[in-house]
Amino acid sequence: MNPIHVYNVVPRLPEPLRCLQDLAYNLRWTWDHQTVDLFRRLDNLLWNESGRNPVKMLGLIPQAKLEAAARDRAFLATMTRVWEDYRMYMAGKDTWYENPPEKPKALLIAYFSAEFGMSETLPIYSGGLGILAGDHLKSASDMGLPLVGVGLLYQKGYFRQYLNNEGWQQELYPINDFYHIPIRTERDAQGELVRVEVQMNGKPVWARVWRAQVGRVPLYLLDTNIPQNEPADRDITDELYGGDAETRIKQEIVLGIGGMKALAALGKAPTVCHMNEGHAAFLALEWIRMLMSSTGATFAEAREAASVGSVFTTHTPVPAGIDKFDVSLVERYLGSVFRALGLTTAEFLNLGRAPGGHIDSSEPLNMAILAIRLSERCNGVSRLHASVSREMWRGLWPGISAEEVPICSITNGVHPASWVSKDMNGLYDTYLGPHWSEQASDPGVWSRINDIPAEELWRTHERRRERVVAFARRRLREQLQARGAANYELVEAAEALDPTALTIGFARRSATYKRGALLFRDPDRLIHILENRDRPVQLVMAGKAHPKDMAGKEIIRKIIQIIKDKKLRRRIVFIEDYDSAVARSMVQGVDLWLNTPRRPLEACGTSGMKAAVNAVLNMSTRDGWWDEAVREGAGWTIGNAETYTNEDLQDEIESKVIYDLLEKEVVPLFYERGSDRVPRGWTDMMRKAQQSLIPFFNSQRMVQDYFTMFYAPATENHLHLISDGLKASKELAQWRAHMTRHWPSVRVIEVDGDRSVEAPIGAKFKINAKIFLGEINPRDVRIEVYEGSLDEDGHITNARTTLMTPVGLENQHGTFEFTGEIELSTTGLRGFSLRILPNHPDLVMPFQRGLIAWA
C-alpha cells in the first residue's frame, strides 16, 4: 500500500541541546576530535552501534537520556565549548584565503567528482579518488576558499564486502537511508525542493538536490530516485561504478550537465569548474550551452570562455582505465545536447577522439580526451604520473615533444586532521601548537617535532598499536561469527596479534598492479620473519576488489588460503569491508606501511601519507607519491625504479628485496632498545619522516597549489572573456578561426646564420629566418629557436626555447624576417630547429588546438 502523505520524523531535542543537530549535520565532526568526544559522552555504546553516525545516533537515543543530558551541567559546559569553537570556525575569520597571493576579485570554484569520501557514514566513495576529493573539500573549508562540491548521491553506494570460507569476496549492497545520514534536501526561497531536469534519450530525467555541509563548504549531491522519474531512470544513481556503459553514461550526464544546472538553480555561477577525473567532462557542454543561451554566442565563442575556466585532473596512468562510450550511446543520450550546441555528430565525437590516423565512425568517445579538449589547464597527481600522462596523451598535441605536453603535476596530499589519531593529535597540540593542522604546510611548524621527547612519542605510538590490535581482534571475531566458525576459532581470534610486536599494515584496492600478494611470494621465508620468537612480526591487511575484477578477487583468496594453510591467524589478520574507518584505524596504529605497486601504474596513492601523519614509517616501491617522497632516513624504498619487461622476474626480485629489508634493516632497528625500552633509531626515523613528509604531502599545500597555478588565473581569464557579453571571447574565437583557416600556408622559407660544426662553450649563434605567414599578422605568431642536446636517434631533447623578434614588419608578399640568438651553455652534441606557434594575449595554451609549424 503506497502512502498518501510522506513525512520525516526527527529527534525531539530539549531546548538546551538544539545545537547538537547542527553539529551532527556538519561533517566537520569527521576531523574534530572534540565534537566526536561530545557525542561519545552522550552515549558511547550508541555511538558505536550507529556506525559513528551522529545523525542516526540522535534518532535512536532514548528521550530520557536526552532530558538527563539537558540537566547535566558538566555535559552542557562541554557542549558550550564545542559549540563556540564550531561557531568561530564557521565565521571564517583569519583564514588563509583572506590574504592569498594574487587574490581574484571574484572566485567560485565548483569541484565535480563521481565520488566523495568524507566518512563511512556517507558511503558514496570507493577508494582513493573519493577520499582525495573529500580531503580537497575539507582543506578548502579550513582555508576559507570559496568552493562548492558537486557529486551524486547513490542509493546503494559502493558495495559492502565479506569473504566466504574459501576466501572468495562476496558483495552486499545495503540501501542508504538518506534521512539518517548527515545530508539535507535543498529547498528554494519558496520552500520547494530543488530539482533539475536533464534530457536523455528524448525524455526528461529529474534529479533532486541534497546538500552535505563539509565545514564551510557545501557539497551538492544529485539523486534520481524520485517519483517524477520512470523506474529505470530512478536507478541511475543506484550504485557507484555499477551497471554497464549505458548506466555510466547516464550517471555522467546527471553529474556533469545536471550538476551545472543544479548550481544555476541554487544561484551559483562558478568562475572555475574542476573536473576530478573524466567522469565530469559533460559539465563543459552545459557551461557552453549556458553561455550561448545568455549571450547569443556561437559554440566556438562560448567554448573559449568555458575552457579557460575549466580544470581537469587525471588520475589514470593507463588508457584502459578511461571511460569510453560507443557512438550509439552518445547519439542516444547526448544527441539533443550537442545538436543544441550546433554540432554535428562527427564534430562532437571528434572532441573526444585522438587526432590523426584512421578515425572511423565507430571509434568511441573518450571522456579523458573530451575533458582535455574542453579544459585549458590539466594536471596529473604526482610528478611521475604527470610524466606518464604526458607520454600517454602526447598524440593529442602533434608536433611537440612529450616533455612539452601541457599536463603539469600537482601532487596529491591528505587532510591531516582527518587522519591523525586522537593521541597523536594531543601530542601535536602540546608541542606544535593548537593550530598545527591549519599550518600543516609550514615546515617551521614541523621543525618542532624535535621538541617531543622520544619516550613520549614512542609511548603515544604504542597506545595506537594496542588499539589497532584490539580493533583487528574484534573485527576478526565478528567475521568468524558471521561465517559460523567453531568456538575454538573465536577463542583464537581473541588472542590474534601481539600488542608489542612489529606490525605491518597493507590496505589497498585489490587490483593486480598493486600486488597485494607480493609479500606472500615465498611463504616459508615470510613465516620465518613472522615467527621469530625474539623479534616477532605481524600483518594487518584489508582490501576490496571491484565486483567484476576476478583477478583482484583471486589475490584476496590466495592471501586467505595462505593464512589458513600455514596457520598464520595469530600473525596475519585480514579485515573485511575496507572503508575509511578501517583505514583510519590501520594508518594510526601500525608501525610500517607497506606499498608495492608496479611502477608506474600508481598515479599517486595517499594511504602512506596518512600513515606519515601518525609517525608511521613507509616502505614502498618508487611509484606515485613515494617516487618524490624518498628521503634518506625517513623510510625504506623497494628497488630503485628499475624497469622490467618480465613481470614475474620483477616480482621475484622485488619480493626478495622486501624480505631482505625486513630481515636486515627494519626488524633489527625496531627491536634495538635501550634500558628504557625505547627504540631510539626507530623514533629518530619517525621524526625525520614527520618533518620531511608532512609539510608537503598534505591537502592544504595541494589546494594552495591548485589556487595559485589554476584557480586564480583561470578565474581572471574567465571573467575577462565573459565581460561585455563575451566580447573578448568572441574576438578570441574569431582570431582562432582566422588562424586555423590560414595556418596550412605558414612555413619557414629560409634559415641563415652561423653554421659552425664546432664552437666553444659560451659562444653565441645568431640566427636569421624568413617566414611565410600569408594572411597572418606577424604579431599573431611566436617564432622560437628550439635548441637542445641530441639523443641516440638524433632527436632534440631537454630543449630550451628562445624567442625570435621581427626585423621590421614590412609585408613582402606575406614573407617576414625574424632574428634571434642562442648561447651555447652546455657541451656535447647539440642542435636547433625553428618552430612557429600562434600568439594572442588571451591564449592560455598555445599548443591546445594543434597549430604548430616546424622548419
Side-chain angles (χ1 to χ4, degrees), residues 110-114 116 150 255-256 259-260 263 273-276 280 283:
Y111 184 93
F112 284 69
S113 181
F116 285 91
V150 181
L255 173 62
M260 287 298 289
L263 292 178
C273 286
H274 188 162
M275 310 170 198
N276 190 40
L283 73 83

Side-chain angles (χ1 to χ4, degrees), residues 428 446 449-450 457 591 608-609 611-619 625-626 629-636 681-697:
Y428 289 163
W446 297 100
I449 285 289
N450 289 329
L457 178 61
D591 299 296
M609 303 177 195
V613 169
N614 290 282
V616 173
L617 299 180
N618 276 271
M619 179 191 289
W625 79 288
W626 192 250
V630 173
R631 310 281 193 277
E632 185 177 353
W636 290 272
W682 192 275
T683 54
D684 287 347
M685 286 191 72
M686 290 168 70
R687 286 191 285 215
K688 178 68 179 293
Q690 289 168 298
Q691 287 179 317
S692 61
L693 300 180
I694 302 175
F696 184 81
F697 296 103

Side-chain angles (χ1 to χ4, degrees), residues 588-829:
Q588 291 173 0
V590 300
D591 299 296
L592 181 72
W593 195 255
L594 182 63
N595 186 32
T596 56
R598 194 184 305 281
R599 177 186 168 103
L601 300 180
E602 184 77 272
C604 182
T606 57
S607 60
M609 303 177 195
K610 298 161 193 161
V613 169
N614 290 282
V616 173
L617 299 180
N618 276 271
M619 179 191 289
S620 177
T621 53
R622 290 200 65 148
D623 198 10
W625 79 288
W626 192 250
D627 187 63
E628 60 194 271
V630 173
R631 310 281 193 277
E632 185 177 353
W636 290 272
T637 302
I638 303 164
N640 193 32
E642 294 89 353
T643 300
Y644 294 86
T645 55
N646 185 323
E647 291 185 353
D648 188 65
L649 176 63
Q650 179 182 8
D651 292 351
E652 179 68 18
I653 292 172
E654 293 184 346
S655 66
K656 288 181 178 178
V657 172
I658 296 173
Y659 299 139
D660 286 343
L661 286 172
L662 289 174
E663 291 171 337
K664 298 175 183 178
E665 297 187 33
V666 178
V667 174
L669 188 67
F670 181 86
Y671 284 105
E672 189 176 303
R673 311 290 173 96
S675 59
D676 58 1
R677 307 301 301 156
V678 175
R680 301 281 169 170
W682 192 275
T683 54
D684 287 347
M685 286 191 72
M686 290 168 70
R687 286 191 285 215
K688 178 68 179 293
Q690 289 168 298
Q691 287 179 317
S692 61
L693 300 180
I694 302 175
F696 184 81
F697 296 103
N698 67 79
S699 53
Q700 184 188 65
R701 185 276 313 158
M702 177 187 74
V703 174
Q704 287 174 357
D705 284 353
Y706 276 111
F707 175 85
T708 304
M709 296 170 62
F710 284 176
Y711 297 158
T715 290
E716 297 286 4
N717 295 154
H718 178 72
L719 293 177
H720 167 63
L721 290 188
I722 65 172
S723 62
D724 297 327
L726 266 69
K727 180 175 182 291
S729 187
K730 292 176 180 179
E731 291 175 352
L732 180 59
Q734 292 167 6
W735 172 87
R736 200 187 294 274
H738 172 79
M739 297 291 285
T740 301
R741 186 165 56 252
H742 295 287
W743 195 263
S745 63
V746 170
R747 64 187 183 277
V748 177
I749 298 175
E750 180 182 309
V751 179
D752 192 18
D754 193 333
R755 292 305 181 99
S756 302
V757 295
E758 188 171 278
I761 190 169
K764 296 181 179 180
F765 274 8
K766 187 173 183 180
I767 301 167
N768 302 307
K770 290 184 179 180
I771 310 294
F772 181 76
L773 298 178
E775 299 299 316
I776 293 177
N777 191 304
R779 295 189 182 90
D780 291 335
V781 295
R782 290 174 56 90
I783 313 299
E784 295 178 343
V785 181
Y786 186 85
E787 190 266 345
S789 56
L790 302 186
D791 63 16
E792 63 274 12
D793 297 319
H795 299 144
I796 297 174
T797 62
N798 301 315
R800 58 181 182 175
T801 59
T802 303
L803 186 64
M804 301 183 74
T805 56
V807 182
L809 294 176
E810 297 81 12
N811 186 338
Q812 303 172 19
H813 307 291
T815 300
F816 299 85
E817 292 187 18
F818 289 80
T819 186
E821 186 179 77
I822 56 174
E823 182 176 353
L824 307 181
S825 58
T826 306
T827 59
L829 190 63

